[in-house]
Amino acid sequence: ALVELTYRCNLDCVICYNDTDLAGAPLTTAEYVRFFADLRDLGALNLTLTGGEPLAHPDFFTLGREARQLGFVVRVKSNAHALRGRLAQRMKDEVDPFTIEVSLHGASAQTHDRQTRVPGSFARLIANIRESQALGLRFRVNAPLTVWNEHEIEAMFALVDELGVPF
């Protein structure tokens, strides 16, 4: 099951389908936990926490821990922009996801940052992956193909190989 925890995000990717203007009330933490239990009872084995940026959800760590305690193989889809330092350590200690899926929008800062519309997002992504790998967190890289990055496909493969991350 793939569960969108929030529409909030700290990037503004050109290609994102996320509608930050959607109205409605988010589920409470208790409602999410009941929902997770229902998914478990239906036989779901994997639970992917996503968003927007799931780490922007104020109760992300509570929800991640609950998902693990319910027996799910937990995956997280994140832009990894905030995944460093104490937050990365908490991810390892409290959630320890099977994998964290991140999007790479190019093999260069110029291309990646153009698509995220956040200067420095490429350097931060690469640094945060490296730091988090040292803690034992596991990653998978997705690369949405666009006209802005198609000329960097081979370089993206090389970068992902250098990082030692599945692509």
Side-chain angles (χ1 to χ4, degrees), residues 108-154:
S108 68
Q110 179 182 13
T111 301
H112 182 90
D113 294 1
R114 177 181 183 194
Q115 294 197 106
T116 65
R117 295 191 268 208
V118 175
S121 61
F122 176 79
R124 194 168 200 176
L125 171 65
I126 302 306
N128 289 357
I129 289 173
R130 287 186 172 131
E131 177 184 335
S132 296
Q133 284 176 312
L135 298 172
L137 290 169
R138 298 162 298 276
F139 289 85
R140 175 175 302 277
V141 170
N142 300 315
L145 185 61
T146 68
V147 297
W148 290 349
N149 68 14
E150 65 183 345
H151 67 283
E152 294 184 355
I153 292 172
E154 289 181 21

Side-chain angles (χ1 to χ4, degrees), residues 45-106:
L45 301 174
N46 293 282
L47 182 62
T48 301
L49 304 176
T50 187
E53 170 52 48
L55 294 172
H57 190 285
D59 292 328
F60 171 81
F61 287 103
T62 299
L63 296 172
R65 282 191 312 271
E66 289 290 335
R68 286 297 303 261
Q69 289 173 358
L70 287 168
F72 287 106
V73 173
V74 177
R75 299 170 192 267
V76 177
K77 283 187 163 227
S78 171
N79 60 38
H81 199 69
L83 192 62
R84 61 184 179 176
R86 186 173 159 273
L87 195 102
Q89 188 64 58
R90 282 189 75 191
M91 179 72 82
K92 177 64 178 161
D93 294 344
E94 298 179 34
V95 181
D96 194 19
F98 176 73
T99 191
I100 300 169
E101 294 183 24
V102 296
S103 292
L104 178 67
H105 297 283

Side-chain angles (χ1 to χ4, degrees), residues 33-44:
V33 172
R34 279 195 303 277
F35 177 54
F36 293 173
D38 288 345
L39 290 170
R40 180 204 54 206
D41 294 346
L42 289 169

